[in-house]
Amino acid sequence: MQEAPVEFHRPAVRNNPQRWRVADVAALFELPFNELLFRAQTVHREHFDPSQVQLSSLLSIKTGGCPEDCGYCPQSVHFDTGVEASALMPIDAVLDAARRAKEAGATRFCMGAAWRGPKDRDIEKVAALISGVKSLGMEACATLGMLGEGHAEQLRDAGLDYYNHNIDSAPDKYADIITTRHFEDRLDTLDKVRSAGVKVCCGGIVGMGESREQRAALIATLANMDPYPESVPINHLVPVEGTPLASQEALDPFEFVRTIAAARITMPQTMVRLSAGRQQLGEAVQALCFLAGANSMFYGDKLLTTGNPDVQADQSLMAKLGMRAA
Ligand code: SF4
């Protein structure tokens, strides 16, 4: 099956000469399930210990009131979801949460703020949070929205290891989900992060009504970044009452596992992270995801605003599977 390659218009994160065409990734999705998992697990073992999982903990440091209209997000001011807007958390409260996450086994602490993008004064405050997290001996990650000139460098100088900025979905699905910014805006911020020498955490959400080909295009877009992201969170939509995607029909869990496998095969050395939606997946599907090459997960009671399996449940799952924290 031949198909025109995905087009990229800008350098840095987007001009790799098409290592993966969408058709190539779609062909992976079409493989018999066991064949796909075998291939993914084979690639996984070439680069990672298959029994290790990296644990990241995520804290919403500034919740709600976001002017963007991401159709999946309860923090948008455009939707009535009952999420109260709050100001940026004080540094002591953030560092207490980081300490607790570390004691529970997390090695990376991710801080999320519901901004379209931070202002200069916000960057100074977040830089102080990053320095504090680093002083605890943890990796620091931030997700703050679109970055302005010089922001990525300031965050880097504070010690930021990763910046998370997801492309959310396939380029041709993007406008169905978000209208207040464009796919290219995401790539602009990713360029800034790369140029500053900060590692990139970038993934997407599946189960938003996209087609299989669009899931393949999401993975191909990530895999064709040059270099591809060091960390790829794959989220399963958590439909939230009040958002436009509240009634979205659930994705077949095997399709989610296939997406994980395609990410592993096309980005052999990245950390593939199970993110939102693990509660809905249940233990058996999560085990299949690990077999398909997932080797990282968000850990803790809560993601930004949606639930997450609690720490004890995660530790119990890891024990059942004989997996250990990396
Ligand atoms: S996903 Fe982020 S940018 Fe979009 S509405 Fe939610 S908080 Fe705002």
Side-chain angles (χ1 to χ4, degrees), residues 6 78 119 239 288 324:
V6 184
H78 299 267
K119 301 189 172 59
L288 283 175
R324 48 185 200 284

Side-chain angles (χ1 to χ4, degrees), residues 109-242:
F109 192 67
C110 308
M111 293 169 277
W115 287 313
R116 173 172 166 83
K119 301 189 172 59
D120 290 350
R121 63 172 184 272
D122 298 324
I123 287 286
E124 284 169 26
K125 290 177 188 160
V126 175
L129 300 178
I130 291 166
S131 302
V133 169
K134 295 295 289 183
S135 71
L136 300 176
M138 301 182 85
E139 289 184 313
C141 175
T143 181
L144 314 171
M146 290 189 270
L147 294 180
E149 291 306 325
H151 287 172
E153 287 76 7
Q154 277 178 271
L155 297 172
R156 175 202 63 203
D157 292 346
L160 188 71
D161 295 289
Y162 289 84
Y163 192 80
N164 165 265
H165 203 60
N166 292 334
I167 57 169
D168 295 325
S169 193
D172 68 349
K173 178 71 179 168
Y174 201 78
D176 294 351
I177 306 294
I178 300 146
T179 67
T180 49
R181 58 168 189 261
H182 304 293
F183 194 77
E184 281 286 312
D185 296 327
R186 302 306 269 181
L187 301 184
D188 281 341
T189 287
L190 290 167
D191 274 347
K192 290 187 174 102
V193 172
R194 269 281 174 239
S195 302
V198 175
K199 285 182 259 193
V200 168
C201 172
C202 180
I205 306 171
V206 295
M208 298 195 291
E210 73 285 344
S211 64
R212 173 177 272 188
E213 183 164 0
Q214 287 170 325
R215 281 187 285 282
L218 164 68
I219 297 298
T221 304
L222 294 166
N224 287 329
M225 290 180 180
D226 187 17
Y228 56 72
E230 283 84 358
S231 189
V232 174
I234 303 290
N235 295 274
H236 187 292
L237 176 72
V238 179
V240 178
E241 205 55 49

Side-chain angles (χ1 to χ4, degrees), residues 233-307:
I234 303 290
N235 295 274
H236 187 292
L237 176 72
V238 179
V240 178
E241 205 55 49
T243 63
L245 292 173
S247 310
Q248 180 61 49
E249 195 182 326
L251 184 72
D252 183 328
F254 293 119
E255 196 64 16
F256 185 79
V257 179
R258 286 178 185 277
T259 309
I260 297 286
R264 170 51 66 221
I265 292 168
T266 57
M267 294 171 273
Q269 298 193 59
T270 196
M271 302 301 288
V272 177
R273 176 169 311 111
L274 298 180
S275 302
R278 286 203 295 123
Q279 258 171 339
Q280 290 87 326
L281 293 175
E283 290 192 333
V285 175
Q286 288 183 70
L288 283 175
C289 290
F290 291 129
L291 198 58
N295 60 347
S296 172
M297 64 181 178
F298 272 125
Y299 181 67
D301 300 344
K302 213 170 180 196
L303 292 180
L304 288 173
T305 54
T306 57

